[in-house]
Amino acid sequence: MAFILKSDRKETENKTVRFPLDLIHRIEEAITGKDVTFSGFVIQACEFALENMEKDKK
């Protein structure tokens, strides 16, 4: 299954998360020119990871 960026907006809560600088740069490169924020990318990446982890459990 491919990871596809979406520009969805949802109700949110703030959380502080530290990222390695190289990962920040890679994410910023990936979203350049796309209609998605850094936070939106992270949320979608986490959802994608969780959905695929659940599939692997079964």
Side-chain angles (χ1 to χ4, degrees), residues 1-52:
M1 171 181 248
F3 178 62
I4 300 170
L5 293 174
K6 300 172 268 183
S7 61
D8 295 345
R9 305 274 190 257
K10 299 178 182 178
E11 184 178 342
T12 62
E13 178 179 329
N14 287 333
K15 294 288 182 186
T16 302
V17 180
R18 295 183 184 269
F19 289 88
L21 290 177
D22 64 319
L23 181 57
I24 290 172
H25 296 304
R26 291 171 55 203
I27 293 170
E28 288 173 341
E29 276 184 31
I31 64 175
T32 298
K34 308 266 188 325
D35 183 26
V36 66
T37 63
F38 186 93
S39 292
F41 177 90
V42 172
I43 290 165
Q44 291 176 60
C46 290
E47 288 173 340
F48 181 83
L50 289 170
E51 288 170 6
N52 286 286

